[in-house]
Amino acid sequence: KELAEALDSLNSDGLKIRFIQVGSSCGHAGPLKDRDDVSIVETLSPGFTTAVLENSDVSFIADVRSTFAYTPYMPSKFVYQLFSSKPIVLLTRKGSPMFKVYQAHKDAGLFFADYEHPGSLSGAIEQALRASQPFQGRTSACNWFTRKSVADGFVRFVQQLI
């Protein structure tokens, strides 16, 4: 619903937005499925997904686990797209793992839309579309997900349990 409202808002402001949902929508496309400016491609083809990413202006990652107030889950698509040069719009809650990466790397081309404030999505998309690249902080954000960083974090976690 939030994405449909954001598309309406941006299109009324004169921006021509086209949204492509790649991968299964799990039957939750709702208000997006009958729109002319939305394509839902039910594929898990890595080649097709990569082609869409390379030809897009902005990536959009939603982490909106609606039945949980908080989840430690971070969508793997976020990590994959972080290694691209594209601006990324994050629709998530404050305090989520994606939000923490956003807060720590404000110059990494990440644009936060607060799930608790539906009107914020159109502003984040517009900021992302107008952002200038390259994003200076993208490398440091990617370093959070290197093998060494993940292993170090796991060791710290285990040490806290002991």
Side-chain angles (χ1 to χ4, degrees), residues 1 3 25 39 51 55 72 74 80-81 87 95 97 113-114 133 144 154 158:
K1 178 181 173 195
L3 183 56
S25 63
S39 297
N55 291 294
M74 182 182 301
Y80 299 144
Q81 293 188 24
D114 191 344
Q133 298 178 29
W144 274 34
F154 180 72
V158 170

Side-chain angles (χ1 to χ4, degrees), residues 10 16 19 25 37 55 78 89 100-101 121 143 148 154:
L10 292 165
K16 206 64 172 148
F19 179 79
S25 63
D37 56 353
N55 291 294
F78 170 62
V89 174
K100 290 176 183 176
V101 174
L121 181 56
N143 286 339
K148 180 180 179 352
F154 180 72

Side-chain angles (χ1 to χ4, degrees), residues 64-125:
V64 293
R65 297 283 187 136
S66 59
T67 57
F68 302 110
Y70 171 76
T71 175
Y73 167 81
M74 182 182 301
S76 60
K77 289 177 185 172
F78 170 62
V79 178
Y80 299 144
Q81 293 188 24
L82 191 61
F83 282 83
S84 77
S85 61
K86 306 289 183 180
I88 304 170
V89 174
L90 309 173
L91 177 62
T92 190
R93 289 181 170 87
K94 288 184 178 177
S96 73
M98 282 198 318
F99 179 77
K100 290 176 183 176
V101 174
Y102 159 78
Q103 272 194 311
H105 303 283
K106 295 280 188 162
D107 58 348
L110 306 175
F111 300 86
F112 172 67
D114 191 344
Y115 179 73
E116 303 297 331
H117 300 280
S120 68
L121 181 56
S122 60
I125 293 171

